[in-house]
Amino acid sequence: MPDQRPTQDEPLGLTVHSIPTPAEAGAENARSSRRGRWTMLALALVCATPVIASYFSYYVIRPEGRRNFGELIEPQRLVPTVAATDMSGKPVELASLKGQWLLVSVGSGACESNCQQHLYLQRQLRESLGREKDRLDWVWLVSDDAPIKEELRPVVGVATVLRVPPNELAKWLVPAAGHQASEHLYVVDPMGNWMMRFPANMDMAGAAKAKRDLERLLRASVSWDNAGR
């Protein structure tokens, strides 16, 4: 027969762990926070590396003797958060232009000969980029309430045309000393930074040099910039 004697209870073994003091817990939380911040910083650097590399190659690593035709803007100026209007009168945030390379002109809606020359050069420069042209937007910022001339209406259907208060434009796009904002063409990068200004009253010979600048910019940013927004 099986043994019927009652079994004797054995003591339950327990492992006792010490409870951390408030100071120790605080130190561990601080270490965790630091690790989290370093991890986030590392991720941000990884994401920004292509952009940094492309600007470094354009601004710093230049073949001997290369000169930009356009003037590099330092420090760059970010597109302001300003309410513009399109040609139908609909409000449009100027910052919505970000996400694409921009070739920008500024002028009155009346658009006299100098303004018309700039619109022509903008179109020619963009078209001359061939398959890369979709990475560059043609932008005309109208700085007053003057009506658009009827002969310029076809431009409205091709370019991005926005009316922007002149005082707001003056805070962003600044002409060279002794010139007016309407005398230049401006280059804005996809992050919304105004980063280059072409010489005032540019002619066709100057446009050929401007094209080389644009090609270099597009080439330097090819690893991170795609057509469209």
Side-chain angles (χ1 to χ4, degrees):
M1 292 182 61
D3 189 357
Q4 299 295 324
R5 288 175 299 175
T7 59
Q8 184 178 0
D9 291 337
E10 297 182 358
L12 181 65
L14 294 175
T15 301
V16 179
H17 297 277
S18 62
I19 298 175
T21 66
E24 291 171 335
E28 179 59 29
N29 288 338
R31 284 193 293 271
S32 297
S33 296
R34 283 196 296 271
R35 283 196 298 269
R37 284 195 293 269
W38 280 112
T39 300
M40 292 298 295
L41 179 59
L43 288 173
L45 285 173
V46 168
C47 295
T49 294
V51 180
I52 295 169
S54 65
Y55 272 88
F56 183 77
S57 67
Y58 188 85
Y59 284 98
V60 181
I61 306 175
R62 303 178 186 173
E64 189 65 29
R66 179 202 288 183
R67 284 191 172 185
N68 303 311
F69 177 66
E71 178 186 355
L72 295 172
I73 305 303
E74 298 178 2
Q76 298 172 359
R77 296 191 179 194
L78 184 64
V79 57
T81 303
V82 175
T85 55
D86 64 16
M87 291 302 94
S88 66
K90 179 183 176 182
V92 177
E93 284 293 328
L94 192 60
S96 67
L97 295 176
K98 290 195 294 185
Q100 185 86 325
W101 284 99
L102 309 176
L103 183 60
V104 182
S105 63
V106 176
S108 167
C111 198
E112 302 302 337
S113 58
N114 185 60
C115 168
Q116 292 180 32
Q117 173 72 357
H118 276 167
L119 294 178
Y120 172 75
L121 289 179
Q122 283 176 279
R123 180 184 181 279
Q124 294 300 103
L125 279 168
R126 184 175 184 274
E127 291 299 319
S128 71
L129 295 173
R131 64 182 182 180
E132 296 294 325
K133 71 178 184 179
D134 290 336
R135 294 174 58 199
L136 179 75
D137 278 359
W138 167 16
V139 180
W140 177 21
L141 300 180
V142 180
S143 56
D144 60 19
D145 295 324
I148 305 296
K149 291 181 177 180
E150 194 60 35
E151 60 266 32
L152 293 176
R153 286 291 170 180
V155 172
V156 178
V158 179
T160 299
V161 183
L162 297 175
R163 292 189 188 272
V164 184
N167 59 318
E168 297 294 344
L169 269 180
K171 296 175 185 176
W172 184 36
L173 303 177
V174 180
H179 294 279
Q180 298 180 359
S182 59
E183 296 178 33
H184 297 279
L185 292 181
Y186 306 87
V187 180
V188 179
D189 71 20
M191 291 171 286
N193 298 304
W194 168 39
M195 50 77 62
M196 181 176 283
R197 176 177 59 210
F198 289 127
N201 303 316
M202 188 168 63
D203 56 14
M204 288 301 295
K209 299 175 183 177
K211 178 190 174 185
R212 288 195 290 271
D213 279 356
L214 292 172
E215 287 174 334
R216 285 197 292 265
L217 285 168
L218 293 176
R219 206 162 44 239
S221 62
V222 70
S223 65
W224 56 271
D225 172 58
N226 297 310
R229 292 183 171 81

